[in-house]
Amino acid sequence: MNKTTSIFISLISGLLIGTGGLMAYQHLTSPPAVTAETTQKPAKPLYYRNPMNPEVTSPVPAKDHMGMDYIPVYEDEASAPEKAGTVKIDPVTEQNIGVRTATAKLSSLSHLIRTVGKVTYDEERISKLHPKTEGWVEKLFVDKTGTQVNKNTMLLSVYSPQLVTSSQEYLLAISSAKTLENSPFDDIRRSAEQMVVSARERLALLDVPEHQIRDMVKTGNIPKALHIHSPFTGTVINIGAREGQYVTPQTELYMLADLSKVWVIAQVYESDLPWVSENDTVDMQLTAIPGKTFKGTLSYIYPYAEAATRTIKVRMAFDNPDLLLKPDMFANVTIHTKNQPEAITVPTEAIIRSGDKEQVFIMRAAGQFEPRKVTTGLSADGRTQILNGVNVGDEVVTSSQFLIDSESKLNETTEKMRAIDAPASEEMQDHQQNMLEQDMPAPASSSSMNMPEMEHHNHD
């Protein structure tokens, strides 16, 4: 070794010793540097999700049938929500999709039922007149339908042989009673009086009016014709006999109706049936009587449904003192149902109906929406009664709830799948980590779905 070479080696050695000393000094006087690995240690994925179908997951990296990489899902992204199906939405997305909410509150529900009714007779104010004996119509005093008659108006007279016989018996009984009224025998006197009473009752059973009986007793003349009078003030609806016609007890002589009160029959749908009840107030308007509203009450709900229309008949009663309401008129009817007691109600649009399930979404916190199964009651004026599932003051989603429902179902399904695959996933990840530490190739997961087959090449 020559002198020049020795000098060069000495210089290099000194330089190295100086650099090492400087580094040692810096190491002692400076705090230990925090490496990027310490501050930015990559999080460990919990599992990998198919980019096209989030329900398909894999515990290890994989590719779908289109060659797209599965998306890693980390712990903060897959943290379990408070309840299955709960959806979390950031404020920007919430505003973009137009999420709106409303408060569940106590309110009384009322409902107006509008339907079409038909005016008809009050069945309790209809009378059909038949003779109690056979005979011939002698005289018609009222011979036109639609005629207004007052109570006790004479309608017709009927010649009746039975009336003549009964009248003769009555006059003979009166005459015998007068002859025997001074008899010393009480039995004979009482028998004569009883004959008068019996004959008088037979005339009453034939509907002989009082004025004819009085005239008979006063004059002693036997009437040949039975007078038939109107039993009440009303309208002649039908005349069933004419002068000279032979009539029997089966013959309907007159049909009378008192139109001072009328019925209106209307139909209500099955969905409106829970609302209606007897004594509900009713308003009615008719095209034939513009500008006038008639007030009535709902008097009866029929206990059966109409097979053809699947509706239920209701009967309403109206006063008709001016006879403006005429049978067979059609009318527009409004039934004012009674207010239902205070109940928890929400806007009707907040309710999601799917199959046999009804649910709403409750806002648990800002951007966090929880599905809630509910039991609904009556609906009116855009609000629906909630019998179970919602409390007063709960905020329910009224807009974009179907988008939230879709995301909720997706999250719920994913959570169920993750719960099933979690044990196998943790075992496979541990095994994969051990393989990596031993610098060995990791086998493909049996739970991976749609993973492309790996090509193996043999090298010489």
Side-chain angles (χ1 to χ4, degrees):
M1 177 182 304
N2 54 29
K3 186 177 181 180
T4 304
T5 302
S6 300
I7 294 172
F8 179 75
I9 292 174
S10 299
L11 291 174
I12 293 299
S13 300
L15 181 60
L16 291 174
I17 292 172
T19 303
L22 179 61
M23 292 177 62
Y25 175 77
Q26 291 176 348
H27 177 73
L28 293 174
T29 58
S30 302
V34 180
T35 62
E37 181 179 358
T38 302
T39 58
Q40 300 180 358
K41 184 178 180 180
K44 183 180 180 181
L46 293 180
Y47 59 92
Y48 297 83
R49 185 168 60 191
N50 189 310
M52 303 301 294
N53 185 0
E55 297 182 11
V56 179
T57 62
S58 170
V60 296
K63 294 181 180 292
D64 64 2
H65 64 284
M66 299 177 61
M68 299 176 64
D69 292 329
Y70 275 34
I71 301 172
V73 178
Y74 297 96
E75 184 176 0
D76 58 342
E77 299 176 4
S79 57
E82 295 180 2
K83 183 178 179 181
T86 299
V87 177
K88 293 183 179 179
I89 304 176
D90 62 85
V92 176
T93 304
E94 183 177 342
Q95 183 177 4
N96 289 339
I97 65 176
V99 177
R100 292 194 299 272
T101 61
T103 304
K105 61 182 180 180
L106 284 175
S107 59
S108 297
L109 295 178
S110 61
H111 185 46
L112 295 181
I113 299 175
R114 293 181 173 87
T115 183
V116 176
K118 183 179 180 181
V119 181
T120 186
Y121 304 102
D122 185 340
E123 294 175 0
E124 298 174 349
R125 296 172 178 269
I126 293 178
S127 179
K128 296 182 178 182
L129 304 182
H130 292 254
K132 298 293 181 62
T133 181
E134 298 176 354
W136 289 261
V137 177
E138 187 178 69
K139 178 66 176 177
L140 278 178
F141 299 101
V142 177
D143 57 357
K144 299 180 181 63
T145 58
T147 303
Q148 303 293 322
V149 296
N150 296 321
K151 185 177 181 179
N152 293 325
T153 299
M154 187 182 298
L155 302 176
L156 82 167
S157 61
V158 178
Y159 166 71
S160 171
Q162 184 178 357
L163 172 63
V164 173
T165 302
S166 298
S167 298
Q168 288 175 341
E169 293 176 353
Y170 181 55
L171 292 179
L172 288 173
I174 292 175
S175 177
S176 298
K178 286 183 178 181
T179 303
L180 299 173
E181 64 181 355
N182 296 322
S183 173
F185 302 101
D186 293 338
D187 292 342
I188 294 176
R189 189 173 61 252
R190 284 195 297 269
S191 295
E193 293 173 353
Q194 186 63 37
M195 290 294 293
V196 174
V197 174
S198 297
R200 177 68 177 78
E201 288 178 351
R202 280 194 295 273
L203 292 176
L205 293 175
L206 292 175
D207 285 345
V208 179
E210 287 290 338
H211 75 89
Q212 282 191 288
I213 296 176
R214 288 195 302 268
D215 291 344
M216 185 191 314
V217 173
K218 182 177 181 180
T219 63
N221 296 327
I222 298 174
K224 295 187 301 181
L226 172 66
H227 295 168
I228 296 179
H229 298 257
S230 171
F232 53 75
T233 300
T235 304
V236 177
I237 304 302
N238 181 53
I239 300 175
R242 291 294 169 179
E243 291 185 2
Q245 181 176 337
Y246 177 73
V247 296
T248 67
Q250 288 78 31
T251 305
E252 180 184 297
L253 301 177
Y254 285 91
M255 177 180 174
L256 303 177
D258 180 6
L259 298 180
S260 61
K261 291 182 181 293
V262 295
W263 286 353
V264 176
I265 305 298
Q267 311 280 342
V268 298
Y269 291 106
E270 295 180 16
S271 58
D272 290 329
L273 188 59
W275 288 96
V276 297
S277 59
E278 294 183 4
N279 298 320
D280 285 344
T281 59
V282 182
D283 292 341
M284 181 175 66
Q285 296 85 30
L286 293 88
T287 305
I289 312 173
K292 184 173 179 59
T293 299
F294 296 85
K295 301 288 185 179
T297 58
L298 193 149
S299 58
Y300 187 69
I301 302 172
Y302 286 80
Y304 53 84
E306 298 293 323
T309 59
R310 306 310 308 162
T311 55
I312 293 86
K313 287 199 306 183
V314 295
R315 185 175 73 212
M316 294 154 284
F318 287 85
D319 291 330
N320 187 30
D322 299 327
L323 304 183
L324 296 176
L325 301 176
K326 306 182 187 307
D328 294 329
M329 275 185 167
F330 285 98
N332 297 317
V333 176
T334 302
I335 303 174
H336 298 268
T337 63
K338 293 181 174 63
N339 289 343
Q340 297 297 321
E342 285 195 347
I344 301 175
T345 63
V346 299
T348 302
E349 63 268 19
I351 301 171
I352 301 174
R353 296 176 172 88
S354 57
D356 59 348
K357 183 176 69 172
E358 296 178 322
Q359 71 173 20
V360 298
F361 275 90
I362 304 294
M363 188 174 71
R364 303 296 299 175
Q368 184 175 343
F369 305 95
E370 174 189 312
R372 186 82 60 82
K373 186 177 180 181
V374 296
T375 303
T376 59
L378 298 174
S379 297
D381 299 329
R383 299 191 70 84
T384 298
Q385 179 184 10
I386 303 298
L387 302 177
N388 185 27
V390 174
N391 298 319
V392 176
D394 286 347
E395 289 287 330
V396 296
V397 179
T398 60
S399 177
S400 300
Q401 63 269 41
F402 292 99
L403 295 176
I404 298 176
D405 183 49
S406 300
E407 181 66 19
S408 172
K409 287 182 171 58
L410 180 62
N411 290 350
E412 187 175 358
T413 303
T414 302
E415 290 299 326
K416 291 179 180 178
M417 295 294 295
R418 191 166 68 87
I420 295 174
D421 294 340
S425 175
E426 293 177 0
E427 182 179 353
M428 181 58 68
Q429 289 181 7
D430 293 340
H431 180 66
Q432 183 183 21
Q433 184 65 27
N434 293 335
M435 293 294 239
L436 292 175
E437 291 176 356
Q438 299 177 14
D439 197 20
M440 295 178 62
S445 171
S446 59
S447 62
S448 300
M449 301 179 65
N450 301 326
M451 291 186 62
E453 296 183 357
M454 304 297 292
E455 295 183 0
H456 299 275
H457 299 281
N458 293 326
H459 301 278
D460 293 338

